[in-house]
Amino acid sequence: PIVPMLKQQLSLTILYLKNLEINNINDFDFIDKPNFDYIVESVKSLYFLKAINENGFITSLGKEMLSLNMDLVYAKSLV
């Protein structure tokens, strides 16, 4: 199982990429590519936090969460 801290960091990384309009995360050329299942799990958590929409694009809420530069769960509770 993935360590929760690493999962949160992957979710944050994915959200930053989506903010840069890099939406096909699986095709992104990571230096050390994470397991596909971890990517899927992180994308699901972003969707549940409403940081991305059903099409996988970043939402205005997701952009606000990024601007706080903190753990996404805490950022969600502040916006």
Side-chain angles (χ1 to χ4, degrees), residues 38-57:
Y38 299 161
I39 293 172
V40 170
E41 192 172 331
S42 293
V43 169
K44 283 181 185 178
S45 69
L46 291 171
Y47 177 73
F48 290 131
L49 288 170
K50 302 203 182 315
I52 61 173
N53 64 20
E54 62 276 354
N55 296 318
F57 296 104

Side-chain angles (χ1 to χ4, degrees), residues 3-20:
V3 178
M5 178 186 262
L6 295 177
K7 179 181 159 204
Q8 286 300 322
Q9 291 174 349
L10 181 57
S11 295
L12 186 58
T13 300
I14 290 172
L15 195 58
Y16 273 115
L17 290 172
K18 289 187 174 287
N19 192 47
L20 294 171

Side-chain angles (χ1 to χ4, degrees), residues 19-48:
N19 192 47
L20 294 171
E21 297 180 2
I22 300 170
N23 290 300
N24 194 348
I25 302 302
N26 197 41
D27 289 340
F28 183 75
D29 192 21
F30 287 96
I31 292 172
D32 186 15
K33 188 169 185 134
N35 183 303
F36 178 74
D37 293 335
Y38 299 161
I39 293 172
V40 170
E41 192 172 331
S42 293
V43 169
K44 283 181 185 178
S45 69
L46 291 171
Y47 177 73
F48 290 131

